[in-house]
Amino acid sequence: MTIGESKDFSHLYSDETKARKPSPLKTCIHLFQDPNIIFLGGGLPMSDYFPWDRVQADSPLPPFNKGIGAPVSGEADDTLRLALRKNEITKAGETQDIPLSRALQYGFSQGQPELLSFVREHTAMIHPMQYSDWDVLASVGNTNSWESTLRIFCNRGDTILAEAYSFSSSIYAAEAQGINVFPVPLDEFGIIPEKLEKILDNWNPEAAKPKLLYTIPTGQNPTGSTLSDDRKAEIYRIAQKHDFIIIEDEPYYFLQMDPYVKDPAKRAEKTVSSHEDFIKSLAKSFISLDTEGRVLRLDSFSKVLAPGVRLGWIVGSKKILTDYLRLHEMTIQCPSGFTQSLVAGTLNRWGQDGYLDWLIGLRHEYNEKRNVTMDALYKYLPQVPFIKVSPPSAGMFFTINIDASAHPEFATKYQSKPELVEQAIYDKVIEHGVLIVPGVWFKANGDTQPPQPAESKVDVAPNEIFFRGTYAAVPLDKLQAGLKRVGEALYDEFAVTRE
Amino acid sequence: MTIGESKDFSHLYSDETKARKPSPLKTCIHLFQDPNIIFLGGGLPMSDYFPWDRVQADSPLPPFNKGIGAPVSGEADDTLRLALRKNEITKAGETQDIPLSRALQYGFSQGQPELLSFVREHTAMIHPMQYSDWDVLASVGNTNSWESTLRIFCNRGDTILAEAYSFSSSIYAAEAQGINVFPVPLDEFGIIPEKLEKILDNWNPEAAKPKLLYTIPTGQNPTGSTLSDDRKAEIYRIAQKHDFIIIEDEPYYFLQMDPYVKDPAKRAEKTVSSHEDFIKSLAKSFISLDTEGRVLRLDSFSKVLAPGVRLGWIVGSKKILTDYLRLHEMTIQCPSGFTQSLVAGTLNRWGQDGYLDWLIGLRHEYNEKRNVTMDALYKYLPQVPFIKVSPPSAGMFFTINIDASAHPEFATKYQSKPELVEQAIYDKVIEHGVLIVPGVWFKANGDTQPPQPAESKVDVAPNEIFFRGTYAAVPLDKLQAGLKRVGEALYDEFAVTRE
């Protein structure tokens, strides 16, 4: 099957993007490589004066048989020792490294070639692409990628769509820029396509249509929900119908897990073992449905390697990425050279197969964390109909959903206001020595006028509140102890009698 | 002498900064450190799953007796070996390191404490501060710091002041945001205070005053000029009078050199040797004149260590830096953890004295490069009154200033248009195998209405053009060869007879 080229979406650009000129210095940069030209053009310090001659890093060796968290000895049987030189000499057939003299110099705003080639190959393996002129661009993580996205597309006064509960920093970044964040109803399977379509079909014809849909499809923050493949296809169709761009922010994509099995005896030890099975088990991405270049995928190493590497990448059409690149030249320039050379050096030595081994190992760890969490929630939380939990299938988060009206003092002490019950539970849980986060902190409070058809109402159950917790951050014993405390706080607050 | 607190400058903030809300998650982050609380609040991956257990880097040892560019052997007598562990255990009295488990985790958006403490101490040593509540904030370099500055202060339609020729990326970043860049006349000693004052005194009372002055005081890009201490005091007074913020963008600050001495026999081998002499030799900064918190200093390791570390810092009042921090939480989060731990580890081992040794070594290298450049320019350029060079005292750049009207075909072939002569010279120089950059590429073309008094005219000599070259990027032999080619191209283009 031959696939076509991406479409042009520059009609959706911000005034800023339309006005941004490339630096005239870029017009002569090709002469930098010309052996006949002595290049006295750019203010580049000589790499002779970079003070690091050699950088070395130890990581575990694929296939990580002892688990991805096992410490390494520093010996050759379990340790990969990466050694980078300032002036690397790579022999034919050897793993390609980024020499420090290049990694620590200006240039390569798109990212260093050795990193990009790994990321491209990985992307093609996980997300079979449906148009030809796609590419990747390095970023310093999805926070940066999302902020760049807002600058690329949105003017003050524009409206974007987002899940009704979403990552608060992402929402606040948009709001500070004067962008209205219109909340889209979601349930435990993510955005509800029918509701989204009705909102847009009923959009006030005098108001500008939303330019973007911001979504965290996998292991959504804060709800922990994962958007089904069917819904994605529906949403993509709606995006085409109403001409908006889909931004899939996917930091948790590789934290997908096996379905939760309540009976420990019936749990398979490892449901995914081969690389093929693993790739097959993953949710279909928006980018892999995209035939037009209408989707931008924000990917990151933060949750799969380490947040402090500050390294992510954007997948999208070359046309649009060119404009991100121009923006980056005036913002971050490029990710840290230490980061790029250490991450690329490690990944190129692990290889695509080794990286899949790592991701499978990670899945295994998160499976266990999720299982321990659900087991503990079922064990320690009051078994009452007004407190609900549902096992997440991806991500770092679980939610505890509560019908606030079931509180014995709902109408009296709390004046029938669910948000006051929410605050009281938050305080009570802290009193019991554990911290989980109230759902209201994640609410997209954007103006829902112009349209606001009745169907777009977010709160199907207006007294339902929820709390977000994470199983990612602490070891298993602490996790169990923490969830026990949450249970005790709820028994206490709701005056539930223990059986 | 007791010094006071900074003033509040929030009346100069952009709408975006005024609207930016801190994430509610920050309200509970203090509980993360509480030993009685099990923190299930934040989506932090466990450091057990960070794949790097040990990172090591070799750098030269102070006082760098063989020169800062000398390669290191890896042996203890000339090599500092920095080894960082995932879970560092620092004994009392040992150099403080940032353990990888922390450097590679979320958090510390201001920068890691071990890095900030070094930078603060360094700043206090070089720039005696005149108010009490100053601080530093890490950035990913001055490109990022400048872009953040524009977002913090400016709305679409605002005006800022900048040197009439300035770093094109900085100007373009402002222009893309819809900000008018008003050019301020400068000569070989930088901005001319009298002209600046007249511009502002005559400012159209119906137009909003400029909020910022953007300046590169030391080794200005592209002119190579350095602003004198006296002029700085004058400009600071004007900033107070007309209530604008001064942004000093100082990547080249430590590339200050000895005055150029034309006769090689009379050159001292090392005019600066003690640390005291060195600090005394440095230009007074705007930040060290500032009693109010009206100056923000953008500092960077790009030109003194390596650009690819992507690490800089902003010096300013805590009040303003708090707002930069909130912006950073939605953009870069923080610089790379690898970068922070390697730079802080190296600098904390070198110590403040070792770092001064490094900077003195760098001065020595740039002295030599500048001397070779000037010697070559005097030797190879046509000795005619219409071609002028003046020895820079700082930075990476030299300029060749030319009276275009002296071109034999000025009135005929070039229709008395200096910009056509400029383009012809640029092409001719490339033909001769060298690249230098036309001054017009750096021209701030902002709207000079409203005021535009006659005194603000930039081009005192309307037919003067110039080219920017750098002596930073190439070794000395290549530099000489390149400058010889420039000379030949000018002999050729201007049909000057060789003596």
Side-chain angles (χ1 to χ4, degrees):
Chain A
M1 191 187 79
T2 52
I3 54 176
E5 270 211 14
S6 65
K7 288 191 187 171
D8 177 37
F9 289 98
S10 59
H11 60 285
L12 296 176
Y13 281 177
S14 65
D15 294 342
E16 185 178 315
T17 303
K18 287 175 188 162
R20 185 169 289 113
K21 292 182 288 187
S23 167
L25 291 165
K26 308 284 166 192
T27 63
C28 68
I29 205 74
H30 64 283
L31 294 174
F32 184 65
Q33 305 291 343
D34 186 331
N36 297 315
I37 298 282
I38 296 178
F39 197 87
L40 307 181
L44 280 67
M46 276 187 12
S47 60
D48 294 11
Y49 308 149
F50 300 168
W52 298 280
D53 282 73
R54 186 189 165 89
V55 169
Q56 187 177 297
D58 289 356
S59 68
L61 264 178
F64 317 105
N65 285 329
K66 288 187 248 167
I68 62 163
V72 301
S73 68
E75 303 302 319
D77 55 337
D78 69 356
T79 306
L80 170 72
R81 178 153 294 173
L82 163 69
L84 299 166
R85 288 280 179 69
K86 197 195 275 183
N87 297 297
E88 195 81 29
I89 297 139
T90 309
K91 287 182 207 147
E94 275 188 5
T95 309
Q96 268 213 311
D97 281 324
I98 311 166
L100 292 174
S101 59
R102 170 150 55 81
L104 297 180
Q105 186 56 280
Y106 286 114
F108 299 92
S109 302
Q110 193 185 350
Q112 295 283 342
E114 294 81 354
L115 175 72
L116 296 184
S117 62
F118 187 92
V119 168
R120 268 190 214 105
E121 200 184 343
H122 165 78
T123 300
M125 194 183 286
I126 307 293
H127 312 285
M129 298 292 285
Q130 307 297 325
Y131 62 94
S132 57
D133 56 331
W134 65 275
D135 205 356
V136 298
L137 170 77
S139 78
V140 301
N142 286 15
T143 308
N144 163 234
S145 298
W146 170 235
E147 207 254 357
S148 296
T149 300
L150 290 168
R151 305 291 184 191
I152 292 285
F153 291 102
C154 296
N155 295 323
R156 195 159 268 276
D158 280 352
T159 291
I160 63 169
L161 303 161
E163 280 125 358
Y165 292 89
S166 187
F167 181 42
S168 43
S169 280
S170 295
I171 302 303
Y172 287 11
E175 288 177 349
Q177 292 182 35
I179 299 161
N180 182 40
V181 183
F182 190 100
V184 181
L186 78 168
D187 60 20
E188 63 266 46
F189 306 106
I191 290 174
I192 306 163
E194 299 72 37
K195 301 225 171 191
L196 173 64
E197 188 159 24
K198 203 154 258 177
I199 288 171
L200 290 162
D201 286 349
N202 290 302
W203 202 263
N204 180 346
E206 281 166 37
K209 288 283 235 358
K211 284 177 167 176
L212 307 178
L213 165 66
Y214 173 75
T215 173
I216 307 169
T218 313
Q220 205 260 354
N221 185 359
T223 63
S225 67
T226 292
L227 195 58
S228 68
D229 292 355
D230 289 352
R231 285 193 177 184
K232 278 186 186 144
E234 268 300 281
I235 293 168
Y236 185 76
R237 183 188 58 76
I238 299 167
Q240 290 182 306
K241 178 175 170 190
H242 289 285
D243 195 23
F244 59 83
I245 302 276
I246 297 173
I247 310 298
E248 56 174 348
D249 184 7
E250 282 286 47
Y252 314 111
Y253 186 74
F254 283 113
L255 309 183
Q256 296 181 50
M257 296 166 280
D258 302 341
Y260 176 70
V261 175
K262 209 164 178 176
D263 182 356
K266 290 188 182 150
R267 287 177 196 160
E269 211 192 306
K270 236 182 184 178
T271 55
V272 158
S273 49
S274 80
H275 294 174
E276 249 193 316
D277 282 358
F278 174 66
I279 293 175
K280 243 189 271 171
S281 78
L282 298 168
K284 224 178 172 75
S285 60
F286 274 114
I287 197 101
S288 69
L289 299 173
D290 183 16
T291 51
E292 304 181 321
R294 181 182 288 285
V295 176
L296 289 155
R297 180 176 175 85
L298 316 185
D299 257 316
S300 168
F301 288 121
S302 285
K303 305 299 194 285
V304 296
L305 298 179
V309 296
R310 306 309 312 130
L311 185 58
W313 65 97
I314 307 173
V315 189
S317 82
K318 280 185 186 167
K319 295 184 184 79
I320 297 179
L321 291 186
T322 302
D323 291 286
Y324 275 84
L325 184 67
R326 283 195 191 159
L327 173 59
H328 280 193
E329 283 166 357
M330 295 177 183
T331 57
I332 59 162
Q333 296 211 18
C334 61
S336 149
F338 282 131
T339 281
Q340 291 195 71
S341 51
L342 289 173
V343 171
T346 302
L347 291 180
N348 280 321
R349 280 170 179 72
W350 285 2
Q352 297 293 347
D353 280 338
Y355 186 45
L356 290 179
D357 288 334
W358 179 265
L359 296 172
I360 290 170
L362 197 66
R363 179 188 179 102
H364 187 71
E365 300 290 330
Y366 275 86
N367 257 342
E368 197 169 336
K369 279 171 176 290
R370 191 271 323 266
N371 287 348
V372 165
T373 299
M374 293 314 298
D375 294 351
L377 288 172
Y378 287 130
K379 181 170 171 192
Y380 296 125
L381 256 49
Q383 300 296 311
V384 290
F386 58 86
I387 299 179
K388 278 186 217 140
V389 291
S390 50
S393 62
M396 298 182 145
F397 304 112
F398 63 91
T399 59
I400 301 175
N401 294 54
I402 300 173
D403 179 353
S405 67
H407 195 286
E409 295 177 291
F410 183 63
T412 54
K413 187 172 172 192
Y414 299 116
Q415 308 150 47
S416 299
K417 292 182 178 162
E419 63 273 23
L420 297 183
V421 178
E422 192 168 0
Q423 183 64 39
I425 296 174
Y426 176 61
D427 294 339
K428 175 72 72 183
V429 166
I430 290 177
E431 250 175 60
H432 276 77
V434 62
L435 191 120
I436 53 176
V437 181
V440 69
W441 289 7
F442 302 95
K443 202 165 176 176
N445 283 312
D447 186 6
T448 50
Q449 310 296 336
Q452 179 72 332
E455 292 77 3
S456 77
K457 267 190 63 190
V458 170
D459 298 308
V460 199
N463 291 322
E464 187 170 307
I465 57 173
F466 76 91
F467 290 85
R468 185 196 81 173
T470 181
Y471 38 79
V474 294
L476 296 178
D477 54 339
K478 236 177 151 177
L479 181 58
Q480 283 169 314
L483 295 172
K484 193 173 175 194
R485 291 181 191 177
V486 173
E488 283 158 3
L490 289 176
Y491 270 107
D492 195 357
E493 184 62 35
F494 282 83
V496 178
T497 321
R498 279 158 218 263
E499 286 161 33
Chain B
M1 191 188 81
T2 51
I3 54 175
E5 271 211 14
S6 66
K7 287 191 187 171
D8 177 37
F9 288 98
S10 57
H11 60 285
L12 296 176
Y13 281 176
S14 65
D15 295 341
E16 184 178 317
T17 304
K18 287 175 188 162
R20 186 170 288 112
K21 293 182 288 186
S23 167
L25 292 165
K26 307 283 167 191
T27 63
C28 67
I29 203 76
H30 64 284
L31 294 174
F32 185 64
Q33 305 292 344
D34 187 331
N36 298 317
I37 299 282
I38 296 178
F39 196 88
L40 306 182
L44 281 67
M46 277 188 9
S47 61
D48 294 11
Y49 309 148
F50 299 168
W52 299 279
D53 281 73
R54 186 190 167 89
V55 169
Q56 186 177 298
D58 289 357
S59 69
L61 264 179
F64 316 104
N65 284 330
K66 289 186 249 167
I68 61 162
V72 300
S73 68
E75 303 301 320
D77 56 337
D78 69 355
T79 306
L80 170 72
R81 177 152 294 173
L82 163 69
L84 299 166
R85 289 277 179 70
K86 197 194 273 185
N87 297 297
E88 195 79 30
I89 297 137
T90 311
K91 288 184 206 146
E94 274 187 7
T95 308
Q96 270 212 310
D97 282 324
I98 310 166
L100 292 174
S101 58
R102 170 150 54 83
L104 296 180
Q105 186 54 280
Y106 285 115
F108 298 93
S109 302
Q110 193 184 350
Q112 294 283 343
E114 294 82 354
L115 174 73
L116 295 183
S117 63
F118 187 93
V119 168
R120 268 189 213 105
E121 201 184 343
H122 165 78
T123 301
M125 194 182 285
I126 307 294
H127 313 285
M129 297 291 286
Q130 306 296 324
Y131 62 94
S132 56
D133 55 331
W134 64 276
D135 206 354
V136 298
L137 171 76
S139 77
V140 301
N142 286 17
T143 307
N144 162 235
S145 298
W146 170 237
E147 206 254 355
S148 296
T149 299
L150 291 168
R151 304 291 185 191
I152 291 285
F153 291 103
C154 296
N155 295 323
R156 196 158 267 275
D158 281 352
T159 291
I160 64 170
L161 303 161
E163 282 123 357
Y165 292 89
S166 188
F167 180 42
S168 42
S169 280
S170 296
I171 302 304
Y172 287 11
E175 288 177 350
Q177 292 182 34
I179 298 161
N180 183 37
V181 183
F182 191 100
V184 181
L186 79 167
D187 61 19
E188 63 267 45
F189 307 105
I191 290 173
I192 305 162
E194 299 71 36
K195 302 225 171 191
L196 173 64
E197 187 158 23
K198 205 154 257 176
I199 288 170
L200 290 162
D201 286 349
N202 290 301
W203 201 263
N204 180 348
E206 281 165 36
K209 289 280 236 359
K211 283 178 167 176
L212 307 178
L213 166 65
Y214 172 74
T215 172
I216 307 170
T218 313
Q220 205 260 351
N221 185 359
T223 65
S225 66
T226 293
L227 195 59
S228 70
D229 293 355
D230 290 353
R231 284 191 177 184
K232 278 185 187 146
E234 269 299 282
I235 292 168
Y236 185 76
R237 183 188 59 73
I238 298 167
Q240 291 182 304
K241 180 176 167 189
H242 289 286
D243 195 26
F244 59 83
I245 302 276
I246 297 173
I247 310 297
E248 55 173 349
D249 184 8
E250 281 287 45
Y252 315 111
Y253 185 74
F254 283 113
L255 308 184
Q256 296 181 52
M257 296 165 277
D258 303 341
Y260 176 70
V261 175
K262 207 163 179 176
D263 182 355
K266 289 187 182 152
R267 288 177 195 159
E269 210 194 306
K270 235 183 184 176
T271 56
V272 158
S273 49
S274 79
H275 294 174
E276 248 192 316
D277 282 359
F278 175 66
I279 293 175
K280 243 189 268 172
S281 78
L282 297 168
K284 227 181 170 74
S285 59
F286 274 114
I287 197 102
S288 69
L289 298 171
D290 183 16
T291 52
E292 303 181 322
R294 183 183 287 287
V295 177
L296 289 156
R297 180 177 176 83
L298 316 185
D299 256 317
S300 169
F301 289 120
S302 286
K303 306 299 194 286
V304 297
L305 297 180
V309 296
R310 304 313 308 133
L311 185 59
W313 65 98
I314 307 172
V315 189
S317 81
K318 280 183 187 169
K319 295 184 185 76
I320 297 179
L321 291 187
T322 302
D323 291 287
Y324 275 83
L325 184 66
R326 282 197 193 159
L327 174 58
H328 280 193
E329 283 167 356
M330 295 176 184
T331 56
I332 59 162
Q333 295 213 16
C334 61
S336 148
F338 282 130
T339 280
Q340 291 196 69
S341 52
L342 290 173
V343 170
T346 302
L347 291 180
N348 280 320
R349 279 169 179 73
W350 284 3
Q352 297 293 346
D353 280 339
Y355 186 47
L356 291 178
D357 287 334
W358 179 266
L359 296 171
I360 290 169
L362 196 66
R363 179 189 181 101
H364 187 71
E365 299 290 330
Y366 274 85
N367 258 340
E368 199 170 333
K369 279 171 175 290
R370 190 271 325 266
N371 288 348
V372 165
T373 301
M374 293 313 298
D375 294 353
L377 288 171
Y378 287 130
K379 184 170 168 191
Y380 297 123
L381 256 49
Q383 301 295 309
V384 290
F386 59 86
I387 298 180
K388 278 185 220 143
V389 291
S390 49
S393 62
M396 297 183 145
F397 305 111
F398 64 91
T399 59
I400 301 174
N401 294 55
I402 300 172
D403 180 354
S405 68
H407 195 287
E409 296 177 291
F410 183 64
T412 53
K413 186 174 173 189
Y414 299 117
Q415 309 150 48
S416 298
K417 292 182 177 161
E419 64 273 22
L420 296 183
V421 178
E422 193 168 357
Q423 182 64 40
I425 296 174
Y426 175 63
D427 294 339
K428 175 72 72 182
V429 167
I430 290 178
E431 251 174 59
H432 276 77
V434 62
L435 190 122
I436 53 176
V437 182
V440 70
W441 289 7
F442 303 95
K443 201 165 177 176
N445 284 313
D447 185 7
T448 51
Q449 308 299 338
Q452 178 74 329
E455 291 78 4
S456 75
K457 267 189 63 188
V458 170
D459 298 309
V460 199
N463 291 322
E464 188 171 304
I465 56 173
F466 75 92
F467 290 85
R468 185 195 82 171
T470 181
Y471 37 81
V474 294
L476 297 177
D477 53 339
K478 234 177 153 177
L479 181 58
Q480 285 169 313
L483 295 171
K484 193 173 173 193
R485 293 182 189 176
V486 173
E488 284 158 1
L490 290 174
Y491 270 107
D492 195 357
E493 183 64 36
F494 284 83
V496 179
T497 322
R498 282 157 214 261
E499 287 163 33

